[in-house]
Amino acid sequence: MQSFDQGIYETKVPLEFNAILQIGCVCKVDKTAKKRNIQDAWSLSELHMKTTTECSYLEQSISFFYLYHSISEGRAIYIGYFPASRTISVVVVNPYQNKDLSPSFLEKQFREACQALSVEPPPPRNGVIFKVDYVGYIKDAEKILQREINEYRHEHHGPTIAVIECPNAQSMKSGIRALDDFPCVNIPSNARDSHYQVLGWQQVAAKIGMQRCAASSQWLNDRISLSRYAHVPVGNFELDWLVFTADLFFSRALHDQQQVLWISDDGVPDLGGINEEDTCFADEVRQPVLTYPGAYRKITVELKIHHLAVNALLKSNQVNEMEGGALLGYDQDMHPGAPVQNEHVGFDEDTACAPAFRVLKQLIQRCLADAVTFGNVYADAILQHLYRWLCSPESKLHDPALHRILHKVMQKVFALLLAEFRKLGATIIFANFSKVIIDTGKFDLSAAKAYCDSLLKTLQKRDLFEWIELEPMNFWHSLLFMDQYNYGGIPAKADDIIPDESQVDIVSSWNIAEYLPKKIQDHFVFIVSQFMYIPWSYAQKQAAIRASLQDGNLSTPSVTVAGAENFESHMTEYLKGQISSYFTDKLLGIVRDTILHMKGMSKTENDQNISSGLPQFADKTHKGDAALEFIKHVCAVLALDQNVQHDVLVMRKNLLKFVRVREFAPEAEFHDPCPSFNLSNVICSYCNDCRELDLCRDTALLAQEWRCSVPQCGQPYDREVMENALLQIVRQRERLYHLQDLVCLRCNQVKAAHLAEQCACAGPFKCKEDLTEFRSKMQIFLKIAIHQKFQLLQECTSWILELR
C-alpha cells in the first residue's frame, strides 16, 4: 500500500499468522542461536524457513483418528473412527430410548461409502469392529469417547493427529480432555448434518457419519499436500483454507516487495491509524447487467464465463495502456530515477493501490504457472476463487480499494468481450460477469453449434481474452426474454433431434406471473407459451415442406440471405394473423370469464383473491382489478416481439375497452410489480460457492430458506452476516445521499464553487439524486427487512424514511 508520513503499521497482525508467514511448516535453527532446553522459548529471528524440497514435511504416513459429531434438540450422535485399531465407536444420545442402529447396518453403510469414494475398505476377515452405545446425556457420550481415546493411546504409541468434524470444536475439546494430548485438525462442519428428521433420524445421521468417516483419510492426505504447497503447518489452517492460503501468499509477496501489510480483523484496512475519508464517497461495487428484451425466434445459446477476474488481472497492463494510464497510473518501476513531484498531494485510490495490485498480479502469475505447468489443484482453486477472496470481508488483507480497481479492469475487459461478440455477428440478449446469452442468427441447430464453436475459437485467439473460458450451457430454439427472472423458451435437445409436437418442452419462468391471482396465472402461462410455440411450429412445418421439395435435387440448396429474410417475413405475417384471430379471441374469453368470476364474489373475497397471488414484496399500487392486471401483464410480454408490436398494441386497446380503461390511462401502464435488490458476493461457509442473491424474487429466500443452492451442500447462510451487509449498504447509501453533488439544471455541470447560488450559466442547481428516487430505494430495503425479520435493518430504514 502507499506509505504515509506518520502512522504505526501492522499493529493488528495476529501473532500466529506472523509466525506462519515467516517460518512456514519447515524451519531450521540459526547457527548463532544459543543452546537451550526444549521448553525454552525461541525468537522468530532464530528460526529460518526451509523449502519443502530441501526438507520434507510429513512424507511418511502419519497415524490419525477421526471424531464426528452432530446434534439437534437434545439428540446427538458421536462417532470415533480409529483406523490403526480398526474400530468405529458410535455413541447415540437419545433421551427417548428407542434403538435403531446395529453394527451390521453401520458396516454396510461404511462399505458403501468407501465404494462411492473409491476408498479401499479393510478386508472382511480383519475388518472394522463396530460398537454402538446408547446414552441419555451428552456428558455420558463424551465419557465413552474419552475412554476410547485413552485406550487407543495406550495401545498405539507414536505421533497421532486428531481430525475433528463437529459444529463446535472448542466445546468438544472441553468435554473430551484427552484431546489436549494430540495435535487437532478441524474439518469444516456442514450445518445440514445437524438438522435431524423427527422419525428415523438415527439411521440417517449414522449414514452421514459413515460417509464422513470413509472420506476422512483422503481429506487428511489432501490437507497434508496443501500444507506442503502453502508452507503452513497442517494444524494451523483456518476453516476457509482458500482465503487463508491466498492471504498468506499475498502477505509473503508484499513482504518480498518491502510493502507493509494492512491486515485487519474488521474488514477495514489498517493504514497506520489514518482514517481515509475517500471511502465516504464510494458506493458499493455493483455487477454490470445488460438486458435486451425481445422475442428471439432463431437459435440462441447461453455461455458461462469462467476466469474473468484472473484474465482481467493478468491483462491489466494492456487495459491500462488502452485507457492511457488512467486505471493504474504510470509504472514507477520503469522510471526509477524519475523525480516524484507533488509528493504532498493526495493520491487517488487507483494510484495508491497500484503497487499492491502489481504484487497481486505477480502472485497470480506464479499460481497460474503452478496450475498450468505442474497441474497443481490448489493453485487452480486459488485462481477460481480469486474474485471471491478479494471481495470477502473475512480475508485478513481485504481492501475495498483493491477490489474496486480489479472490478474496473473486469468491466473494461467485459465491455471489450461483448464488443468482440458483436463484431463477430452475435446479438447480445443478456450479459453479466458470469454468463452471456447470444442470438446466433441461425435457424438450424447444427449450424448454430458450428457458428458457436467458430466464435469461441476466434475469441480464444485474441490476446486480451487469453484466459477467459466460455462454456456453452443451453441452446434454445426460441426465446422470449424480458429479464433474467422473466423468460420463456423452447430448449434445444443435445442430440440435435427436433421433437414432435406432442413432445415439445416449453420452459416458462415468469416472476411477474406470481403477482397475478392464482387462478389467472395458468391462463398467463398458457397464452405466453402459445405465443412461443405457434410460430416455432409453423417454422418447423415450412422447413419440412422445403426439405421434401428438395429431396429430388442431389445438390445442396444454397441458403441465401434473401431466402432467410423471406422465410422470416412469412413467419411474421403468420403470427400477425394469429394475434388478430386466435390470441384476441382467447384473451377476450379469459378477460370476460375473469370479470364474471370477480362479480360473483364479495368485495372482501375479491381483495383476498387478488392479493393471494401477490407475494409480500408486491407494490400495493398493482393490487387493482384482476382482469386489468392480466391484460397489462400479458400484453407487456407479447409486445416484446418487435415484429408484431403494433398488432399487440391494437389487441391491447380492444382488451382495455372491454374493462373500460383508456389506452393511455396511467392505470393501464405496465410497471415491474417487484423492484428488487441483488446482494452480491454471498459466500457459502462450507463449499465456498459464491453467488448473487435476489432478495425479493428468489422463491427460496422468500420462503425463509437461506441456504446454499449447490445440491451437494445446502449449508444455511448466516442471516446475521447478510443483515450486516445490507445494513452497511443502507448506511453508505444514506451517507452518499447527504454528500452528493449539486448539478446545474441548464448545463448539467457539477457545482464547483461553494457559496454560489447559481451556476456560471445562470442555471439553478438541483441534487444529483432525487429524493423520491432515494426513498423508493430505501422502501425496498424496508420491505426486505420486514419480510425477513431483520429488526436492526428495519429500525435503520424506518428512521431514514422518518416512519413513526
Side-chain angles (χ1 to χ4, degrees):
M1 292 293 292
Q2 181 66 36
S3 62
F4 297 87
D5 292 336
Q6 296 176 348
I8 303 171
Y9 302 95
E10 299 191 2
T11 57
K12 296 182 181 179
V13 180
L15 298 178
E16 183 183 309
F17 186 83
N18 192 37
I20 297 167
L21 185 68
Q22 294 188 44
I23 63 175
C25 62
V26 181
C27 62
K28 71 172 184 177
V29 179
D30 193 271
K31 292 178 182 179
T32 59
K34 297 176 182 178
K35 293 181 180 179
R36 67 193 77 184
N37 295 325
I38 297 174
Q39 290 82 6
D40 294 339
W42 295 81
S43 170
L44 278 179
S45 60
E46 295 175 327
L47 302 173
H48 299 296
M49 183 190 288
K50 300 284 284 184
T51 63
T52 49
T53 51
E54 293 174 302
C55 301
S56 62
Y57 178 69
L58 297 180
E59 285 294 341
Q60 297 178 349
S61 59
I62 189 165
S63 181
F64 81 98
F65 65 87
Y66 170 76
L67 292 182
Y68 172 81
H69 168 48
S70 62
I71 183 170
S72 175
E73 299 174 349
R75 302 169 295 168
I77 190 166
Y78 286 81
I79 300 175
Y81 173 36
F82 303 91
S85 59
R86 298 195 175 197
T87 57
I88 291 181
S89 179
V90 179
V91 186
V92 181
V93 181
N94 184 24
Y96 310 109
Q97 299 302 315
N98 57 312
K99 300 179 179 180
D100 298 342
L101 296 183
S102 64
S104 59
F105 172 80
L106 294 172
E107 183 177 6
K108 181 188 175 200
Q109 295 300 329
F110 183 70
R111 290 196 172 276
E112 286 179 359
C114 288
Q115 288 172 3
L117 295 166
S118 302
V119 176
E120 188 65 33
R125 185 177 298 174
N126 299 317
V128 177
I129 300 166
F130 291 87
K131 301 177 187 176
V132 184
D133 291 292
Y134 280 86
V135 294
Y137 302 98
I138 298 288
K139 287 185 177 179
D140 297 332
E142 291 174 342
K143 286 177 183 176
I144 292 174
L145 280 176
Q146 171 94 2
R147 188 176 65 243
E148 293 280 348
I149 293 169
N150 285 330
E151 288 176 4
Y152 175 84
R153 184 172 54 183
H154 289 308
E155 291 175 10
H156 300 86
H157 302 287
T160 303
I161 292 176
V163 180
I164 302 172
E165 183 172 358
C166 67
N168 190 337
Q170 289 302 322
S171 175
M172 179 175 271
K173 287 177 184 177
S174 62
I176 306 173
R177 302 309 305 182
L179 290 172
D180 292 341
D181 299 332
F182 298 92
C184 297
V185 179
N186 295 326
I187 299 180
S189 173
N190 193 327
R192 194 167 61 169
D193 290 5
S194 294
H195 290 176
Y196 294 166
Q197 55 195 42
V198 179
L199 299 174
W201 66 271
Q202 294 180 26
Q203 293 191 347
V204 175
K207 181 180 179 181
I208 294 171
M210 291 301 104
Q211 291 170 350
R212 303 283 191 256
C213 287
S216 59
S217 59
Q218 185 60 50
W219 185 91
L220 182 59
N221 290 334
D222 290 343
R223 180 50 55 96
I224 291 170
S225 299
L226 172 62
S227 292
R228 296 189 194 114
Y229 177 68
H231 221 294
V232 177
V234 71
N236 288 96
F237 281 98
E238 294 180 1
L239 288 179
D240 192 340
W241 69 267
L242 268 163
V243 168
F244 179 77
T245 306
D247 278 337
L248 198 67
F249 281 176
F250 195 27
S251 298
R252 286 172 181 162
L254 287 167
H255 267 187
D256 290 344
Q257 296 293 327
Q258 305 298 312
Q259 294 197 44
V260 295
L261 305 182
W262 56 91
I263 288 176
S264 172
D265 53 2
D266 57 2
V268 179
D270 177 23
L271 301 173
I274 299 169
N275 294 320
E276 286 192 293
E277 295 181 1
D278 295 343
T279 54
C280 295
F281 299 95
D283 203 349
E284 77 265 15
V285 175
R286 300 178 195 174
Q287 308 296 1
V289 177
L290 297 177
T291 305
Y292 298 95
Y296 299 91
R297 308 286 184 186
K298 298 172 186 175
I299 302 289
T300 56
V301 59
E302 178 187 329
L303 301 166
K304 190 171 177 62
I305 303 174
H306 297 283
H307 315 308
L308 178 63
V310 173
N311 186 85
L313 186 62
L314 296 176
K315 302 296 179 183
S316 56
N317 279 356
Q318 290 172 244
V319 177
N320 191 40
E321 287 173 9
M322 291 177 186
E323 297 295 313
L327 277 175
L328 304 171
Y330 295 102
D331 197 340
Q332 295 292 331
D333 298 338
M334 295 175 65
H335 309 286
V340 180
Q341 296 179 350
N342 301 327
E343 60 181 17
H344 294 291
V345 177
F347 286 88
D348 68 352
E349 179 181 90
D350 297 349
T351 312
C353 276
F357 191 81
R358 293 187 186 101
V359 173
L360 178 62
K361 181 181 174 182
Q362 292 167 7
L363 170 64
I364 295 304
Q365 283 172 333
R366 287 202 296 273
C367 286
L368 191 68
D370 290 341
V372 174
T373 310
F374 305 107
N376 190 292
V377 292
Y378 307 111
D380 186 52
I382 289 171
L383 292 174
Q384 289 180 20
H385 292 264
L386 167 68
Y387 191 69
R388 174 178 85 81
W389 164 58
L390 275 178
C391 65
S392 172
E394 300 299 317
S395 164
K396 289 181 175 59
L397 283 166
H398 177 65
D399 183 4
L402 205 59
H403 177 202
R404 281 193 288 268
I405 191 172
L406 178 63
H407 191 267
K408 285 180 185 176
V409 182
M410 286 173 70
Q411 282 183 306
K412 296 291 182 184
V413 174
F414 179 66
L416 292 167
L417 178 68
L418 296 186
E420 201 66 31
F421 268 117
R422 293 188 179 100
K423 280 183 191 173
L424 295 169
T427 303
I428 306 294
I429 300 172
F430 173 83
N432 61 14
F433 277 173
S434 59
K435 70 176 180 181
V436 58
I437 304 173
I438 60 168
D439 181 5
T440 63
K442 313 291 181 187
F443 283 105
D444 183 45
L445 183 59
S446 57
K449 286 184 175 179
Y451 167 75
C452 191
D453 291 340
S454 171
L455 182 75
L456 299 188
K457 284 177 183 175
T458 307
L459 286 171
Q460 200 86 46
K461 291 176 183 175
R462 299 282 194 272
D463 184 51
L464 190 62
F465 314 122
E466 182 181 0
W467 302 106
I468 292 178
E469 184 184 338
L470 295 163
E471 179 189 2
M473 298 296 289
N474 299 307
F475 284 87
W476 304 81
H477 286 297
S478 178
L479 185 66
L480 193 59
F481 192 84
M482 182 177 278
D483 57 48
Q484 58 181 324
Y485 296 99
N486 294 284
Y487 65 89
I490 302 172
K493 304 293 182 184
D495 50 11
D496 204 6
I497 297 172
I498 296 173
D500 299 330
E501 290 190 11
S502 59
Q503 299 174 339
V504 174
D505 182 23
I506 299 177
V507 173
S508 288
S509 176
W510 299 97
N511 176 259
I512 58 173
E514 300 292 327
Y515 299 88
L516 293 170
K518 294 290 183 187
K519 291 185 178 180
I520 303 178
Q521 287 181 23
D522 294 336
H523 293 305
F524 174 88
V525 172
F526 174 76
I527 292 293
V528 173
S529 299
Q530 287 292 92
F531 189 67
M532 288 181 284
Y533 172 74
I534 288 173
W536 176 80
S537 177
Y538 174 78
Q540 295 305 313
K541 288 173 183 174
Q542 292 298 311
I545 292 169
R546 284 190 302 168
S548 63
L549 292 174
Q550 291 164 356
D551 277 346
N553 189 359
L554 296 176
S555 63
T556 305
S558 60
V559 181
T560 61
V561 175
E565 288 178 355
N566 189 33
F567 177 68
E568 255 186 283
S569 64
H570 278 301
M571 192 167 71
T572 301
E573 289 302 319
Y574 175 75
L575 183 56
K576 284 181 178 180
Q578 290 293 311
I579 288 170
S580 60
S581 57
Y582 173 78
F583 284 102
T584 303
D585 292 344
K586 270 282 183 187
L587 287 171
L588 282 169
I590 294 168
V591 170
R592 183 177 63 249
D593 292 345
T594 303
I595 293 170
L596 290 172
H597 177 69
M598 293 301 172
K599 274 183 181 177
M601 299 169 64
S602 66
K603 189 177 187 306
T604 53
E605 287 177 336
N606 195 353
D607 291 341
Q608 286 174 0
N609 185 52
I610 292 169
S611 61
S612 64
L614 292 159
Q616 203 159 340
F617 288 106
D619 196 334
K620 289 180 182 177
T621 58
H622 296 281
K623 294 184 181 179
D625 178 28
L628 175 61
E629 291 300 315
F630 176 72
I631 293 167
K632 286 157 61 177
H633 281 64
V634 167
C635 291
V637 173
L638 301 192
L640 291 172
D641 193 337
Q642 297 290 328
N643 294 326
V644 294
Q645 196 176 63
H646 175 71
D647 302 84
V648 171
L649 292 175
V650 170
M651 179 179 69
R652 174 178 173 272
K653 180 180 178 181
N654 295 328
L655 290 169
L656 289 171
K657 280 181 184 176
F658 203 81
V659 293
R660 297 178 181 177
V661 175
R662 289 180 293 110
E663 184 181 3
F664 298 106
E667 61 268 24
E669 190 177 349
F670 173 78
H671 296 281
D672 186 352
C674 184
S676 186
F677 175 77
N678 288 358
L679 185 60
S680 303
N681 308 317
V682 177
I683 299 158
C684 174
S685 61
Y686 183 72
C687 71
N688 298 327
D689 175 65
C690 184
R691 70 172 176 133
E692 192 173 73
L693 296 181
D694 190 303
L695 298 179
C696 298
R697 291 186 286 198
D698 191 312
T699 52
L701 296 181
L702 293 176
Q704 309 287 335
E705 288 288 321
W706 285 70
R707 59 180 68 250
C708 178
S709 61
V710 176
Q712 300 84 4
C713 179
Q715 168 88 343
Y717 289 123
D718 189 336
R719 285 169 53 86
E720 191 176 329
V721 172
M722 303 292 109
E723 184 179 11
N724 185 50
L726 290 169
L727 199 61
Q728 296 299 328
I729 291 168
V730 166
R731 293 179 64 189
Q732 181 67 359
R733 288 192 176 185
E734 183 204 11
R735 194 181 295 122
L736 286 171
Y737 176 75
H738 291 304
L739 296 174
Q740 66 178 306
D741 291 323
L742 292 174
V743 180
C744 174
L745 274 170
R746 181 178 292 179
C747 65
N748 212 31
Q749 294 295 313
V750 174
K751 180 181 178 182
H754 290 298
L755 300 175
E757 293 185 5
Q758 286 185 320
C759 180
C761 70
F765 290 111
K766 67 162 186 174
C767 289
K768 200 171 186 179
E769 184 180 13
D770 189 46
L771 175 61
T772 53
E773 183 186 350
F774 174 73
R775 288 183 66 88
S776 64
K777 288 178 182 177
M778 287 296 118
Q779 286 286 355
I780 295 171
F781 287 104
L782 180 62
K783 289 176 183 177
I784 293 168
I786 293 169
H787 184 74
Q788 298 295 348
K789 298 181 176 63
F790 290 153
Q791 292 185 356
L792 196 58
L793 181 65
Q794 185 177 345
E795 287 178 17
C796 182
T797 48
S798 299
W799 181 79
I800 292 170
L801 291 166
E802 298 177 343
L803 298 177
R804 296 288 184 265

